[in-house]
Amino acid sequence: LNKSDNMHQAVLAAFGIISYLESVNSKVALIEFSDTVGKKVNWTRNYDEIRESLLVNGQGGTSFPLYQIKNIIEESNSELVTVLITDGDLSNIQESYNFFRDYLSEGHKFHLFLLGNSRFSDSFNRLKDIGAKVYHGITADDFCNEVLSEIT
C-alpha cells in the first residue's frame, strides 16, 4: 500500500489503538467490513490475531454491520468503546443512527474517524448530535492523537 493511501493510514491507526489496549490489558473485538464483513474476531486478548485480521483489502462502500456489532456487544458485560475508521459515507445511516442512539444512551462510547480528504457529511453530523465523537484527519497520527486523548 502507498503510505498516503487511506487504507494504509486506517491500518496504522488501528494498530495504534490496539497497542494502547494491549498496554492496559483490555479485551478487544474486531469486525473488519466494507460492504460485507471480511473478518470477525470475538472478544480476546490475543492482540496479534487482531493485528493480523486487520491486514485485509477492504474495498467497496461502508455499510455498518449492525447485526454483528449487536452480537459482539451482547457478549460483554462492560462499558464499551467502539471505534470506526472510514474514508466514506455510511450507506445504512438511519439504522446506524438508531442503533448508536440506544448504544450511547446505555453509557457506551462511540468514536468515528473520517480518514482522508472526504468532508463530514450530514450523516456523520447526525451521529455527533447524539453523542458520538466524530473526528477528521489525513493520517494515522491525527487519528491516534484525537482518540487516545479521549479514551486514556
Side-chain angles (χ1 to χ4, degrees):
L1 290 175
N2 182 325
K3 288 184 180 182
S4 64
D5 181 74
N6 286 345
M7 178 63 86
H8 180 81
Q9 292 300 314
V11 170
L12 289 177
F15 272 49
I17 295 300
I18 292 164
S19 292
Y20 166 74
L21 295 171
E22 183 175 18
S23 76
V24 297
N25 199 34
S26 182
K27 283 189 172 182
V28 179
L30 171 80
I31 300 174
E32 180 282 320
F33 66 94
S34 53
D35 282 332
T36 61
V37 173
K39 291 276 190 172
K40 179 181 174 193
V41 180
N42 289 323
W43 297 107
T44 185
R45 285 190 175 91
N46 183 344
Y47 306 105
D48 289 335
E49 178 185 10
I50 297 289
R51 287 182 186 100
E52 288 173 23
S53 296
L54 285 168
L55 300 176
V56 297
N57 188 11
Q59 295 181 6
T62 304
S63 182
F64 208 71
L66 296 175
Y67 176 77
Q68 289 85 353
I69 293 291
K70 289 176 187 177
N71 287 342
I72 292 270
I73 288 170
E74 289 173 359
E75 294 174 12
S76 176
N77 297 330
S78 307
E79 181 180 289
L80 300 174
V81 176
T82 298
V83 178
L84 170 64
I85 305 170
T86 185
D87 64 353
D89 208 353
L90 291 172
S91 62
N92 60 340
I93 186 60
Q94 187 58 49
E95 298 90 348
S96 298
Y97 174 84
N98 293 338
F99 171 77
F100 281 111
R101 183 187 59 228
D102 295 340
Y103 173 85
L104 289 162
S105 72
E106 294 172 4
H108 303 299
K109 295 177 177 42
F110 178 48
H111 298 269
L112 185 143
F113 192 78
L114 182 60
L115 198 55
N117 292 319
S118 302
R119 290 178 283 154
F120 281 151
S121 69
D122 288 338
S123 60
F124 295 127
N125 286 327
R126 288 183 63 204
L127 291 170
K128 194 174 189 178
D129 291 342
I130 60 171
K133 301 289 184 176
V134 180
Y135 314 96
H136 181 257
I138 304 299
T139 69
D141 284 340
D142 297 335
F143 171 78
C144 288
N145 291 336
E146 292 282 343
V147 174
L148 289 176
S149 69
E150 290 280 337
I151 65 174
T152 57

